């Protein structure tokens, strides 16, 4: 069997009946599978979130371990960061959780049918750092599991707007990981300031945004929180990307992928005909001649 690749991204289709996975490369790709992951963002110095106040939060997991954050944008779809992928490994997605380990009434682990990384994403920079995950089935929505609306109007978030982010990543410089969801509030800074030569030196594009990193309660690029949403006024405006690579360096503001410029790309795979259900694993994905 063969499958022609859609132009909107590279797709990881997961064999259902035998538990196998296969990767479709993007058009003109050299490597058949996604490259190794970049360092992942984290929250430092945040505080524990009030349980289940962020019912859209998702934990992307490999072998039962939290790897990255994400958030529910539709009953069967989660948005995260492309650099979270590790080769052709498939994630499972935990929804309805505050604690990663303690029993909770609405917590449930979902298998993933397809992982779709933006075709422009790569390990060398933070551009187009988005990942779509289609769950095997629609999530059961309730008070602890809800969809988060994302920004569709392509406009800038004003500087000094206070936004919040959350995750289960490392919270101290020693590398300690929390079991319960952590949160932090940070003000948006202008792209001009973020692009200053002492900060990110003109690498922040119009499809990215930054938050201030002058205090301890900030995002840094070590492990665990990439893929989570930056929420401003109740709407997801950005997705946490690699951020600063120097722990504690206030001159390296946190970086987010703006969502609005990608609204059309996000919508495409959610059309019913785009992702087929694969009854049996296929050996590889091929392009039509």
């Amino acid at each position: 069997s063969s499958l022609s690749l859609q132009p909107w991204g590279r797709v990881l289709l997961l064999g259902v009946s035998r538990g196998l996975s296969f990767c479709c490369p993007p058009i003109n790709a050299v490597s058949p599978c996604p490259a190794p992951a970049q360092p992942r963002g984290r929250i430092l110095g945040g505080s524990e979130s009030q349980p289940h106040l962020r019912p859209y939060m998702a934990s992307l997991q490999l072998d039962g371990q939290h790897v990255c954050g994400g958030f529910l944008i539709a009953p069967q779809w989660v948005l995260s960061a492309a650099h979270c992928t590790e080769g052709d490994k498939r994630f499972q997605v935990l929804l309805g959780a505050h604690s990663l380990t303690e029993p909770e009434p609405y917590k449930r682990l979902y298998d993933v049918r397809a992982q779709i990384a933006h075709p422009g994403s790569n390990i060398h920079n933070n551009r187009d750092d988005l990942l779509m995950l289609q769950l095997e089935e629609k999530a059961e929505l309730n008070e602890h599991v809800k969809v988060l609306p994302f920004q569709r109007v392509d406009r800038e978030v004003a500087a000094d707007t206070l936004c919040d982010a959350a995750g289960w990543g490392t919270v101290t410089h020693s590398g300690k990981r929390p079991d319960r969801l952590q949160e932090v509030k940070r003000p948006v800074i202008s792209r001009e300031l973020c692009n200053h030569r002492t900060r990110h030196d003109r690498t922040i594009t119009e499809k990215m945004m930054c938050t201030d990193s002058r205090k301890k309660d900030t995002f840094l690029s070590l492990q665990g929180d990439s893929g989570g949403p930056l929420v401003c006024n109740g709407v997801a405006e950005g997705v946490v990307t690699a951020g600063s690579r120097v722990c504690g360096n206030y001159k390296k503001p946190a970086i987010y992928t703006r969502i609005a410029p990608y609204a059309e790309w996000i919508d495409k795979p959610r059309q019913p005909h785009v992702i087929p259900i694969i009854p049996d694993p296929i050996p590889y994905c091929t392009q039509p001649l």
Side-chain angles (χ1 to χ4, degrees):
S1 301
S2 65
L3 179 70
S4 59
L5 181 66
Q6 301 293 334
W8 35 258
R10 64 177 181 268
V11 185
L12 180 61
L13 291 172
L14 306 175
V16 176
S17 60
R18 300 177 197 171
L20 302 177
S21 60
F22 303 91
C23 259
C24 302
I27 296 171
N28 299 326
V30 176
S31 171
C33 293
Q38 294 185 18
R40 304 181 184 95
R42 74 173 182 178
I43 293 175
L44 277 183
S47 58
E48 183 178 339
S49 174
Q50 187 172 335
H52 308 295
L53 260 191
R54 290 173 172 77
Y56 48 79
M57 286 299 299
S59 167
L60 276 57
Q61 303 197 348
L62 289 174
D63 302 320
Q65 298 297 314
H66 174 79
V67 175
C68 270
F71 56 105
L72 200 64
I73 60 169
Q76 202 169 352
W77 290 92
V78 169
L79 186 61
S80 185
H83 74 262
C84 291
T85 57
E86 296 186 0
D88 61 353
K89 292 182 180 179
R90 62 164 147 176
F91 287 113
Q92 290 182 300
V93 174
L94 183 66
L95 297 175
H98 176 65
S99 164
L100 293 177
T101 62
E102 297 173 5
E104 292 174 341
Y106 296 102
K107 184 163 64 176
R108 182 178 171 188
L109 193 64
Y110 290 84
D111 290 330
V112 170
R113 178 180 300 183
Q115 296 175 187
I116 308 163
H118 192 281
S121 61
N122 64 81
I123 64 171
H124 304 295
N125 56 51
N126 296 321
R127 294 183 179 180
D128 304 325
D129 191 14
L130 293 179
L131 175 70
M132 292 278 291
L133 300 101
Q134 184 187 29
L135 306 180
E136 268 299 337
E137 59 186 291
K138 290 183 178 180
E140 295 182 24
L141 301 183
N142 52 60
E143 60 180 327
H144 293 172
V145 180
K146 294 182 181 180
V147 168
L148 176 66
F150 62 88
Q151 183 59 259
R152 292 179 172 274
V153 180
D154 193 358
R155 57 167 177 74
E156 299 290 338
V157 178
D160 297 323
T161 300
L162 194 62
C163 303
D164 63 79
W168 289 275
T170 309
V171 293
T172 66
H173 289 287
S174 65
K176 182 180 179 181
R177 286 181 174 237
D179 178 66
R180 298 175 181 178
L181 187 66
Q182 305 292 302
E183 65 178 14
V184 67
K185 294 184 181 295
R186 299 305 301 138
V188 172
I189 63 172
S190 70
R191 186 173 295 107
E192 180 181 7
L193 181 58
C194 197
N195 266 326
H196 190 273
R197 62 181 180 82
T198 61
R199 290 172 171 81
H200 288 297
D201 196 18
R202 295 172 295 178
T203 62
I204 306 303
T205 71
E206 292 184 354
K207 294 183 177 181
M208 303 174 190
M209 60 187 295
C210 301
T211 58
D212 188 15
S213 296
R214 287 181 294 175
K215 295 182 180 180
K216 293 181 179 179
D217 53 340
T218 185
F219 269 101
L220 298 173
S221 71
L222 295 180
Q223 294 188 334
D225 289 312
S226 285
L230 180 69
V231 181
C232 310
N233 299 315
V235 175
E237 292 279 357
V239 175
V240 182
T241 186
S244 165
R245 298 197 177 201
V246 183
C247 296
N249 186 344
Y250 76 92
K251 291 185 177 181
K252 299 295 183 182
I255 305 171
Y256 309 82
T257 303
R258 294 180 57 231
I259 298 175
Y262 299 93
E264 184 178 353
W265 177 81
I266 291 170
D267 287 338
K268 281 185 178 180
R270 294 192 288 143
Q271 298 168 6
H273 65 279
V274 174
I275 300 282
I277 297 176
I278 306 298
D280 292 299
I282 56 178
Y284 199 69
C285 298
T286 59
Q287 300 296 333
L289 296 176

